Every structure is written in structure tokens, then in C-alpha cells.
């Protein structure tokens, strides 16, 4: 997730204060991982330094003054370019899951047990995401679907790898 580009996109929708940006980011993109305030303001500072946002006005607040940020033409152009570029497909040719299985086999540890434990963790997370789909709105459901599809692919890999452990063991422990 590109936090700077996402914040720029929110600013292109309409000018906002840092607090409003954080709220909107967390509402739509921060499920399970809200954006820290410090990251919002440090990102806005870098965007301002780079000429992608400007401060349109400053209002007194209960604490520090509230600054309203506005995207510049340069920032809008960057958002346009980002939106039209496809996301890099992630084939994950090197993953923690794979590394743990191979190392378990290399070290003569029970890779089957690791795969079983990982399968249970994936299934538990799938149950949680299914509940999010059932009880949440459209944004929650779409995010949950994305996670579920990735977990399903991991489960297929776990099953395939489990069926090939003997051959993999011979490959990594000649």
C-alpha cells in the first residue's frame, strides 16, 4: 500500500485536514492496521516539500493549528500515473511459508507438523474474514474476499507441498 499516493488520492477528492485524512484512510484502507497520526503528518510534510500538496489555510484548533491540505497539479499528475499503472503481479517466489518448509526438511524437523499448524492458522483466519464479510458493509466484504482468495491459494499450496514433501526432502537433503 502506498500511503503517500493514497493520501494524495484522498486530497484530490477534496482538500482535508490531517485528522480527516487519517480518518478516511482508516475507514477505507486501514482495516486492521490504522495509520498512525505521526505517519500522516510526516507524509504530508514530505508531500509539501516535494510540491505535491500545499497548505491552503490554517485554522486555530484545540491543540496545534489545523492545516488544510490541497493537492497540487504535480500531485494530481502523480495520482493519475499511479492509477493507470497495473499493480505488479506478486508470484511470491520466495516466501516465509516456503522457507520454513525447506528449512524444516533441511534440519530434519517435522515439516508435516508445520504445514498442519499453518493450515489451521489459515482456516482460522478464513473463518474470521468470512465473519467480516457476513457482518460488514461492501468495503469490508471486498477486502475480506481479497484476503480469502489469497488464503485459498495458500491452502492449495500447502496441500500440494504436503503431497510432495518426500520428493522435496530428497532434493534439499541429498
Amino acid at each position: 500500500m502506498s500511503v503517500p499516493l493514497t493520501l494524495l488520492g484522498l486530497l484530490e477528492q477534496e482538500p482535508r485536514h490531517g485528522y480527516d485524512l487519517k480518518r478516511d484512510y482508516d475507514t477505507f484502507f486501514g482495516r486492521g492496521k490504522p495509520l498512525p497520526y505521526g505517519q500522516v503528518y510526516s507524509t504530508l510534510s514530505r508531500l509539501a516539500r516535494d510540491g505535491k500538496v500545499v497548505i491552503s489555510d490554517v485554522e486555530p484548533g484545540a491543540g496545534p493549528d489545523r492545516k488544510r491540505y490541497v493537492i497540487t497539479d504535480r500531485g494530481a499528475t502523480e495520482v493519475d500515473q499511479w492509477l493507470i499503472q497495473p499493480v505488479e503481479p506478486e508470484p511470491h517466489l520466495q516466501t516465509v511459508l516456503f522457507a520454513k518448509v525447506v528449512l524444516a526438511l533441511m534440519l530434519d524437523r517435522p515439516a508435516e507438523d508445520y504445514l498442519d499448524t499453518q493450515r489451521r492458522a489459515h482456516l482460522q483466519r478464513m473463518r474470521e474474514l468470512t465473519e467480516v464479510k457476513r457482518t460488514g458493509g461492501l468495503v469490508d466484504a471486498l477486502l475480506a474476499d481479497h484476503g480469502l482468495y489469497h488464503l485459498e491459494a495458500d491452502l492449495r499450496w500447502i496441500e500440494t507441498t504436503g503431497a510432495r514433501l518426500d520428493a522435496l526432502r530428497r532434493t534439499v537433503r541429498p
Side-chain angles (χ1 to χ4, degrees):
M1 170 70 76
S2 172
V3 172
L5 287 163
T6 304
L7 294 179
L8 281 173
L10 290 170
L11 286 172
E12 187 170 332
Q13 187 180 38
E14 67 180 350
R16 290 176 167 87
H17 295 101
Y19 173 85
D20 298 323
L21 277 170
K22 181 203 174 348
R23 181 199 62 220
D24 293 343
Y25 181 96
D26 289 350
T27 298
F28 293 106
F29 310 108
R31 296 294 201 278
K33 190 175 179 188
L35 198 58
Y37 281 104
Q39 186 175 359
V40 172
Y41 292 107
S42 64
T43 300
L44 287 169
S45 292
R46 284 191 304 279
L47 292 171
R49 177 199 67 205
D50 296 342
K52 297 172 186 173
V53 300
V54 294
I55 297 169
S56 67
D57 57 280
V58 179
E59 304 166 1
D65 290 341
R66 292 175 40 105
K67 300 173 185 172
R68 183 178 303 276
Y69 295 87
V70 177
I71 192 169
T72 62
D73 288 342
R74 182 176 182 183
T77 298
E78 188 163 331
V79 171
D80 285 341
Q81 290 302 305
W82 180 60
L83 289 175
I84 64 172
Q85 294 300 314
V87 173
E88 182 75 24
E90 298 178 19
H92 300 301
L93 292 179
Q94 293 183 342
T95 69
V96 173
L97 212 59
F98 178 76
K100 283 185 168 188
V101 170
V102 170
L103 282 172
L105 293 172
M106 288 176 156
L107 301 171
D108 201 26
R109 305 249 175 87
E112 299 87 351
D113 293 350
Y114 167 67
L115 288 173
D116 288 341
T117 300
Q118 192 63 53
R119 182 182 302 105
R120 283 191 301 277
H122 272 56
L123 290 171
Q124 176 58 37
R125 183 63 179 142
M126 290 176 84
R127 285 189 286 277
E128 293 165 1
L129 290 174
T130 300
E131 181 64 14
V132 167
K133 271 182 69 167
R134 192 180 71 70
T135 60
L138 179 60
V139 171
D140 290 326
L142 289 170
L143 287 169
D145 279 340
H146 187 265
L148 285 165
Y149 297 148
H150 281 271
L151 291 168
E152 287 172 0
D154 282 352
L155 284 174
R156 285 193 305 273
W157 181 86
I158 288 169
E159 293 304 316
T160 300
T161 302
R164 296 177 177 171
L165 277 180
D166 288 336
L168 183 57
R169 185 177 285 112
R170 288 189 298 273
T171 300
V172 301
R173 288 192 58 138

